[in-house]
Amino acid sequence: MNRWEGATRLESRNESETADLGRQLAETLPPGSVVCLDGDLGTGKTVFARGMAIGFGVREPVTSPTFTLVNSYEGRLPDGSRRVLHHFDLYRIMDPEELPGIGWDEYFDGEAVCLVEWPGNAGCLLPAENLLVRIMRVAGHDDHRVISVATGGGGD
Amino acid sequence: MKPFLVLGIETSCDETAAAVVADGRRILSNVIASQIELHGAYGGVVPELASRRHVELIMPVVEEALREAGVVPADLDAIAATQGPGLVGALLVGVSFAKAFAYAGKKPCVGVHHIEGHIAANYLAHPELEPPFLCLVVSGGHSHLIAVESPTRHRVLGRTRDDAAGEAFDKVARVLGLGYPGGPVVDRIAEAGNAAAFRFPRVQFADAPYDFSFSGLKTSVINVVNQLRQKGEPLPVADLCASFQQAVVEVLTAKAVRAARECGFHTLCLAGGVASNGALRRNLEMETQKNGIRFFVPPPILCTDNAAMIAAMGTIRAKAGYVAGLGLNAEPALTMNLE
């Protein structure tokens, strides 16, 4: 079955709209959610992640996790409850076998929300239930993006 | 008098490194795993990232560092390890090893902040250097402007809001098909290019004049590449490299020099992997000279991740009494000023 059937298609005209879509998505996510974030270099994945962090009430700046592979944040929701966000970037992962070395399994504890950039590099180690967000450029418009959100998971 | 000897250990990311430093200034050995011939002994190329690899490499690397220094464990005055920031699994290897080694030899153990280590590389390269000074730390994972107020007091004046400077080099290199790591190759190709061919953005923040942003610059380069490809035009790779590098170098230089002037620093140091970039060194040399600021930069071997810098910072911390107990833990998101 094609995962993109019935996917939600959103449009963004600039970075702040991309961040706002991230914030809106975060506000709908239950604890333990896994979000895969797909898109080429420079499409605004980290911008989207920053919006999600704002949605979780994270106060510190969200910087690129390319070098550290994962950055963790703790925010507070309007009702006062804690929300942990693990922001992965698997750009530098060449083989899923490298993931146990960074303690991969331990981050998916059913409570924290895990956001995974370059999810393809995790292969079959990606949790089967996940939300897939894809950011694509729009030809002819440097700042425009189409952001598609597909639910379900368990393979395309 | 017997020198104060510290064994430094660095495992925050890809390199497994150990070094022995005397009196916090003199390098007796500086071993980095990717440089020694372990491929044969360990059956293949040393892969990136896996902390399992750090586990396998840490013993031979430490032994090599002690042997080269002509030091036995009993001679050491302290053991220092990078405590953070970095990958938790990787950091844990160095921290756990340091604690066990210190416990077995009844030596003090010291945790060191990785960026403070990069700053301390300047003490190794320049024995006359003393705080206060300003330090620009730029690498694949960090872009910080730091006020070094005393050997143990570091205040962050500015930092990147998104991508690190070195990361922007790597990603632009990838888009241009130049391979990894991007810094050295972009630096080399840029020499043949026109730095004024493309005008890429230099980001300023009204509320934080010393903060950096390189994500938008990366995206601008990608946009230009996409536009050229759509038109079917050949990519002027050298001009793109030179123009991109010029934007990075100008921003780093302008903010560092401005911070030095506004905050009253007469000395500026450069540190971190991107400190090896030729254009950045030349530009900072020129601009600091114009502004009457002394400029220091370590040789490339001390700019990349290494353990001599950790031993140097560890010496300062050990002498200042910041000795950790066996509860010392890896802190992937460690903040500066471990006082």
Side-chain angles (χ1 to χ4, degrees):
Chain A
M1 200 186 103
N2 185 348
R3 208 173 157 179
W4 294 106
E5 265 173 39
T8 308
R9 185 178 182 279
L10 306 161
E11 287 178 22
S12 159
R13 283 168 300 178
N14 53 48
E15 280 197 6
S16 72
E17 286 188 7
T18 298
D20 204 52
L21 289 170
R23 179 188 61 78
Q24 289 177 37
L25 175 73
E27 287 170 0
T28 68
L29 290 177
S33 298
V34 177
V35 179
C36 298
L37 189 50
D38 221 356
D40 284 338
L41 276 179
T43 47
K45 294 188 293 300
T46 300
V47 171
F48 190 86
R50 182 172 304 136
M52 282 185 62
I54 290 168
F56 291 138
V58 173
R59 296 238 174 120
E60 41 186 323
V62 170
T63 53
S64 166
T66 297
F67 190 70
T68 53
L69 297 177
V70 55
N71 289 338
S72 299
Y73 304 93
E74 191 175 315
R76 232 168 238 293
L77 302 182
D79 66 6
S81 59
R82 282 172 69 243
R83 183 59 60 81
V84 173
L85 172 68
H86 298 306
H87 180 199
F88 289 90
D89 186 337
L90 308 186
Y91 179 76
R92 302 198 305 145
I93 296 285
M94 298 295 149
D95 186 331
E97 279 187 24
E98 295 176 34
L99 290 176
I102 65 164
W104 175 253
D105 287 344
E106 290 163 42
Y107 291 95
F108 299 86
D109 59 4
E111 279 297 318
V113 170
C114 290
L115 174 65
V116 185
E117 295 189 26
W118 301 96
N121 293 351
C124 59
L125 293 183
L126 206 61
E129 272 301 312
N130 61 61
L131 201 65
L132 181 54
V133 177
R134 189 166 66 186
I135 309 183
M136 293 177 78
R137 293 170 176 278
V138 178
H141 297 274
D142 283 350
D143 299 330
H144 288 203
R145 302 287 185 267
V146 168
I147 300 175
S148 309
V149 183
T151 53
D156 291 60
Chain B
M1 208 176 86
K2 180 191 170 301
F4 194 87
L5 296 176
V6 173
L7 169 68
I9 293 169
E10 154 67 34
T11 62
S12 68
C13 200
D14 299 343
E15 323 281 5
T16 315
V20 179
V21 166
D23 296 323
R25 296 275 183 170
R26 207 152 39 84
I27 301 171
L28 301 186
S29 65
N30 187 20
V31 180
I32 302 174
S34 46
Q35 295 180 343
I36 46 180
E37 283 304 320
L38 286 161
H39 290 193
Y42 288 90
V45 178
V46 179
E48 260 196 308
L49 307 171
S51 43
R52 242 176 302 143
R53 276 298 181 175
H54 284 303
V55 172
E56 288 167 2
L57 291 168
I58 187 114
M59 269 308 294
V61 166
V62 167
E63 281 171 358
E64 176 75 13
L66 292 172
R67 189 165 46 240
E68 264 185 38
V71 162
V72 293
D75 298 335
L76 296 168
D77 293 287
I79 322 295
T82 305
Q83 190 184 356
L87 306 175
V88 67
L91 288 166
L92 270 171
V93 177
V95 167
S96 307
F97 183 92
K99 284 196 292 187
F101 200 85
Y103 181 72
K106 298 188 174 59
K107 306 285 182 186
C109 184
V110 185
V112 172
H113 190 288
H114 183 74
I115 296 177
E116 295 185 358
H118 274 302
I119 295 169
N122 276 287
Y123 297 129
L124 293 168
H126 311 289
E128 71 279 25
L129 176 67
E130 295 289 346
F133 58 88
L134 184 70
C135 192
L136 175 64
V137 185
V138 273
S139 68
H142 311 284
S143 299
H144 282 68
L145 205 45
I146 292 159
V148 182
E149 294 168 341
S150 82
T152 54
R153 268 206 75 75
H154 303 93
R155 191 158 54 87
V156 178
L157 298 181
R159 52 176 288 182
T160 181
R161 298 242 180 135
D162 38 57
D163 296 2
E167 178 182 347
F169 272 94
D170 285 337
K171 290 187 170 169
V172 164
R174 168 146 165 168
V175 168
L176 295 174
L178 302 175
Y180 179 91
V185 63
V186 169
D187 194 5
R188 196 175 63 242
I189 291 174
E191 278 178 31
N194 173 7
F198 298 93
R199 179 73 193 173
F200 292 124
R202 278 82 165 148
V203 176
Q204 306 289 342
F205 298 102
D207 57 329
Y210 310 139
D211 272 4
F212 304 105
S213 166
F214 296 109
S215 178
L217 169 60
K218 167 193 74 187
T219 305
S220 297
V221 176
I222 294 170
N223 286 342
V224 168
V225 169
N226 285 344
Q227 286 159 11
L228 291 169
R229 282 191 178 138
Q230 269 165 19
K231 288 187 222 158
E233 290 178 22
L235 289 183
V237 174
D239 287 351
L240 285 164
C241 285
S243 302
F244 158 75
Q245 179 169 275
Q246 183 65 20
V248 176
V249 165
E250 266 181 32
V251 165
L252 291 174
T253 303
K255 295 196 179 200
V257 170
R258 178 177 170 181
R261 289 170 55 110
E262 291 180 350
C263 303
F265 288 99
H266 304 294
T267 305
L268 174 66
C269 295
L270 183 60
V274 180
S276 300
N277 181 276
L280 180 60
R281 284 175 177 245
R282 284 192 298 274
N283 206 48
L284 273 170
E285 250 161 45
M286 201 168 67
E287 292 301 318
T288 47
Q289 201 174 18
K290 266 191 223 164
N291 286 278
I293 299 164
R294 288 198 306 167
F295 176 60
F296 292 101
V297 56
I301 186 69
L302 293 177
C303 290
T304 186
D305 284 355
N306 67 86
M309 68 185 200
I310 301 304
M313 194 61 220
T315 305
I316 291 168
R317 293 184 59 77
K319 286 188 164 178
Y322 297 112
V323 172
L326 290 175
L328 181 70
N329 202 0
E331 303 274 354
L334 189 66
T335 51
M336 302 261 289
N337 279 326
L338 306 166
E339 292 188 54

